[in-house]
Amino acid sequence: MPSLKSLKTRVSSIKSISKITRAMQMVASAKLRRAESRLAAARPYAKRMAQVMSLLAARAAGTPNALPLLNGRGKDQTHLLIVTSSDAGLCGGFNSNIYRQARDRALALEAAGKTVQFYIIGIKNAPVIRNNFPGKTIHATKREETSPVTFENAQKIAQDLIQRFNAGEFDVAHLFFSHYHSVLSQVPTETQIIPAAPEGDDTKNQAAANDASSGAIEFEPDEETILSTLLPRSIAVAIYQAMLENATSEQGSRMSAMENSTRNAGEMISKLSIQYNRLRQAAITTELVEIISGAEAL
């Protein structure tokens, strides 16, 4: 049975932790509002960029001059999994949810006989992936390359990925991130960014649908020339969008985690206080009994 002193010390330490978690919750709340504002401003641009790229890619797909970034090189043996994560902890299951989805995809690809490589944006998932996939080719960014979240940093990452693709290091790139819906809902998401538009009838159908909804759009100069400029930028936009979604999801997850921690600390303090008061009352009763017994003996 714990002593009164140990219970008092434990209650005091939990109160200190509760103050920290409450402060972190307030900081995460303030950062979340700023992140939501940035995300709301970026989403329409990213959506429109995806629509334009879909139209251009559908028209240029299958042509003799189609860019490798658009249709690939005709093989999909080596897959690069771009796994995003945070640079700080104490954010609940945010990082582990993204990792699990990337892990499941990696295992499925390996079962199909494919070669898997990892490209990690953020530092928290890097040790987990290295421990669970020993011997795999793993590229990891540094903290200064991802923090703060800016389009310039995303563009540098995109340029690095394009250089690796042009060098033949991989054939297909999948991007994993957490899509932000609300403070209580962040959904791990996977999207293919290289090649940008897979070949097939679906691509032609998408082109027809875009033409019907947007009217007969004529591009000057031709689609291939525009794509050569827009494709690298669209990859940078996709990475930037994923980093913004991640940053917002991280703060939402941290806010929820710290709120739960503060609540749990309060419940633990209440239980320990009851236990402390009972032990204290028992000690007082014992002392009174001893005093009365001594008086009666005299």
Side-chain angles (χ1 to χ4, degrees), residues 192-203:
Q192 179 179 312
I193 60 172
I194 300 175
E199 297 182 12
D201 294 335
D202 292 340
T203 304

Side-chain angles (χ1 to χ4, degrees), residues 24-35:
M24 290 186 66
Q25 178 187 348
M26 295 174 63
V27 171
S29 176
K31 289 184 177 181
L32 176 63
R33 287 193 293 270
R34 293 196 296 269

Side-chain angles (χ1 to χ4, degrees), residues 205-280:
N205 294 337
Q206 183 66 34
N210 286 333
D211 282 339
S213 61
S214 305
I217 300 176
E218 296 294 334
F219 291 96
E220 292 291 343
D222 58 277
E223 287 86 348
E224 289 80 3
T225 304
I226 298 175
L227 277 171
S228 64
T229 301
L230 281 188
L231 268 173
R233 186 172 184 85
S234 70
I235 295 173
V237 169
I239 294 173
Y240 180 57
Q241 177 72 10
M243 292 171 69
L244 284 178
E245 296 277 358
N246 250 29
T248 311
S249 297
E250 176 191 350
Q251 298 304 330
S253 182
R254 180 173 290 112
M255 181 178 169
S256 297
M258 293 302 100
E259 182 180 2
N260 292 335
S261 298
T262 304
R263 186 186 305 113
N264 292 338
E267 294 175 357
M268 189 174 295
I269 289 171
S270 178
K271 292 179 180 179
L272 289 174
S273 297
I274 293 173
Q275 187 178 0
Y276 175 83
N277 290 334
R278 286 176 178 173
L279 284 174
R280 184 169 176 269

Side-chain angles (χ1 to χ4, degrees), residues 85-153:
S85 64
S86 66
D87 289 328
L90 297 178
C91 50
F94 167 73
N95 290 312
S96 58
N97 290 337
I98 300 174
Y99 163 73
R100 279 196 294 268
Q101 188 175 33
R103 178 201 61 193
D104 294 343
R105 168 61 73 175
L107 295 177
L109 288 170
E110 287 182 336
K114 308 296 183 181
T115 302
V116 175
Q117 298 180 4
F118 289 94
Y119 192 102
I120 307 170
I121 300 176
I123 64 175
K124 281 299 177 179
N125 273 336
V128 180
I129 292 176
R130 287 193 177 98
N131 291 336
N132 289 278
F133 291 91
K136 295 293 182 184
T137 302
I138 298 176
H139 313 283
T141 59
K142 299 178 181 178
R143 184 187 292 268
E144 58 269 18
E145 296 174 338
T146 58
S147 181
V149 177
T150 61
F151 183 73
E152 288 74 16
N153 286 337

